Amino acid sequence: MKITIIGTGYVGLVCGACLADLGNDVLCLDLDQSKINALRAGRIPIFEPGLEGLVQRNATAGRLRFTTDVEESVRHGVVQFIAVGTPPDEDGAADIRHVLSAARSIGRHMQEYKLVVDKSTVPVGTADRVKAVIDAELKIRNAALPFSVVSNPEFLKEGAAVEDFMKPDRIIIGSDDERATQMMRSLYAPLQRNHERTLVMDPRSAELTKYAANAMLATRISFMNELANLAEMVGADIEHVRHGIGSDPRIGYDFLYAGCGYGGSCFPKDVKALQSTATDAGMPLRILKSVEEANEAQKYRLVEKVVARLGERLDGRHFGIWGLAFKPNTDDLREAPSVVIIRELLQRGATVRVYDPVAMNEARKIFGHTPAVAFADTHLAAVESADGLLIVTEWKEFRSPDFPNIKQRLKHPIIFDGRNLYDPERVAAAGLEYFSIGRPVVKAVDRSHIHDHIESLSDLS
Ligand SMILES: NC(=O)c1ccc[n+]([C@@H]2O[C@H](COP(=O)([O-])OP(=O)(O)OC[C@H]3O[C@@H](n4cnc5c(N)ncnc54)[C@H](O)[C@@H]3O)[C@@H](O)[C@H]2O)c1
């Protein structure tokens, strides 16, 4: 099939590359000339495992091309995927300006039937608005051309996006048009040879499903974060509680990790946008208001622990930070808790040295001109002479660190772990103070008396 992808960001580029890999002829449009130039030169603007090879392979095969030419892009695909950004406006509602602008271009330039697919995360009713915009453009041109609009929300996770697209749990098609439904089914047929994963429903339900999924996941995280804070107050351990409830199949283990808050380009904005939809519909979602408030507060939790241990003012203090991306396997810093944490430390007078396996370039865009922020080449360099180490993203390479080496490098052997990566007893046994989320604090084992004892024995010999 000839496919156009409008918007070549995280979602558009992954969809485009994956659909090309299935044998389709894909043209990706973006208005950002530098992004398209980079892609044409074989450079991938984002970090996403497996994506670079996929893009290069399909570009070389001629199945994946990139353009900034709107007319060409409308001409190319019988299927026109809209995958542009839908950022929050000042009230938190999703701003669908880019979606409607893409629809306008389609209406303005189409010469034959088009299947328009809303892949962006968009508020309920957007498919109708896209239809109305295209209709209006056709009317201006006095052109009676057929087209369909369907909703096909995307559920890929950054960090596992290619895998998620190629092996989806479900494919949601919001359509009330049989021709469009059949085309969507055949487009996705190669992804469901093992079993049928398509759920066809009306467009409004499809649009709401996407928000409901993200809001549910965000709710689980905020629920666990609040429980973790309670666990600290009552002397319980949130990790035991997590296992205790996760073993109930009605609850399950996923998305039950306590931490220093969720971030990223989706959960925060989608939780806000769904609240806005609900308020407009006269049916406010009280739960989501609390989910958001709990998450905002949780981003400060780690700094609260620093303050409780070292004092309100942190002038002259210096901290190592491990992990900047909002989650592992991505370089995405949008709404990342790390940014809030670093700003709060700086605000209190501290300086920091940061390290992330892939997000350093993105971090330089935010903190590159901030003298109080230094950038380390390795995770160990980040802790050198620091008054403490803060762990903000649960990258695999942080999971089994060399604790004695860390202890030696730190000025004060303290770890503030926002992702509960370690066994508190083990860290304490290595002589480090360890503060994590929702777990009892275990005192560092003081080994100096053992050294004294060994030295006194050697004096005797
Ligand atoms: N990032 C994710 O993990 C994810 C997952 C599922 C759904 N979504 C949703 O998908 C949509 C896109 O998200 P993203 O993260 O890919 O955004 P992004 O910001 O990475 O990419 C959007 C791209 O669209 C381009 N663009 C804007 N207007 C355009 C226009 N009129 N014509 C052509 N290009 C245009 C921008 O230049 C940008 O490159 C959003 O609605 C988002 O909520 C994102």
Side-chain angles (χ1 to χ4, degrees), residues 161-406:
V162 173
E163 171 92 0
D164 285 348
F165 191 92
M166 291 300 204
K167 292 185 189 148
D169 298 323
R170 75 297 211 191
I171 294 163
I172 300 228
I173 298 172
S175 166
D176 42 25
D177 173 332
E178 194 45 38
R179 177 181 184 181
T181 307
Q182 287 315 322
M183 283 176 73
M184 292 300 285
R185 278 190 190 280
S186 68
L187 183 68
Y188 283 119
L191 301 182
Q192 27 204 353
R193 285 161 59 86
N194 180 272
H195 66 272
E196 177 72 34
R197 296 153 206 256
T198 307
L199 296 170
V200 179
M201 55 185 76
D202 62 279
R204 284 174 180 253
S205 300
E207 289 163 344
L208 186 55
T209 298
K210 172 65 194 177
Y211 283 107
N214 278 355
M216 170 69 93
L217 296 173
T219 301
R220 281 172 72 103
I221 295 173
S222 274
F223 177 75
M224 286 308 282
N225 284 338
E226 290 220 297
L227 269 191
N229 300 341
L230 175 62
E232 285 175 18
M233 301 309 289
V234 298
D237 183 332
I238 196 66
E239 290 302 319
H240 291 318
V241 177
R242 180 173 70 79
H243 283 114
I245 62 173
S247 52
D248 182 334
R250 292 170 304 177
I251 297 173
Y253 290 104
D254 291 344
F255 278 82
L256 286 189
Y257 291 92
C260 48
Y262 62 76
S265 69
C266 292
F267 285 8
K269 92 171 163 57
D270 292 351
V271 165
K272 275 197 177 71
L274 184 52
Q275 286 182 77
S276 167
T277 298
T279 306
D280 288 351
M283 189 56 67
L285 293 172
R286 287 165 298 215
I287 283 182
L288 287 193
K289 187 168 182 288
S290 305
V291 166
E292 195 183 355
E293 280 170 10
N295 191 60
E296 285 313 302
Q298 198 68 14
K299 291 182 184 173
Y300 292 90
R301 196 71 189 146
L302 217 48
V303 180
E304 283 165 13
K305 287 172 190 285
V306 173
V307 164
R309 174 63 182 79
L310 298 172
E312 283 287 335
R313 287 302 307 173
L314 299 171
D315 303 272
R317 300 279 190 189
H318 174 70
F319 297 95
I321 310 276
W322 283 4
L324 301 166
F326 84 91
K327 68 172 179 178
N329 295 325
T330 179
D331 61 352
D332 200 340
L333 279 178
R334 290 180 281 183
E335 302 275 339
S338 65
V339 177
V340 174
I341 289 168
I342 291 168
R343 288 202 171 123
E344 185 63 20
L345 290 172
L346 267 46
Q347 178 80 22
R348 290 172 182 274
T351 56
V352 298
R353 182 172 292 127
V354 303
Y355 171 76
D356 187 283
V358 304
M360 298 300 268
N361 284 343
E362 291 303 306
R364 279 197 177 89
K365 290 181 192 163
I366 302 174
F367 294 114
H369 298 294
T370 309
V373 179
F375 297 85
D377 291 334
T378 65
H379 66 294
L380 286 175
V383 302
E384 202 67 60
S385 308
D387 291 292
L389 162 65
L390 279 72
I391 302 175
V392 186
T393 314
E394 64 275 34
W395 282 96
K396 270 212 183 85
E397 70 175 70
F398 302 153
R399 298 224 171 148
S400 301
D402 180 350
F403 288 119
N405 195 344
I406 293 171

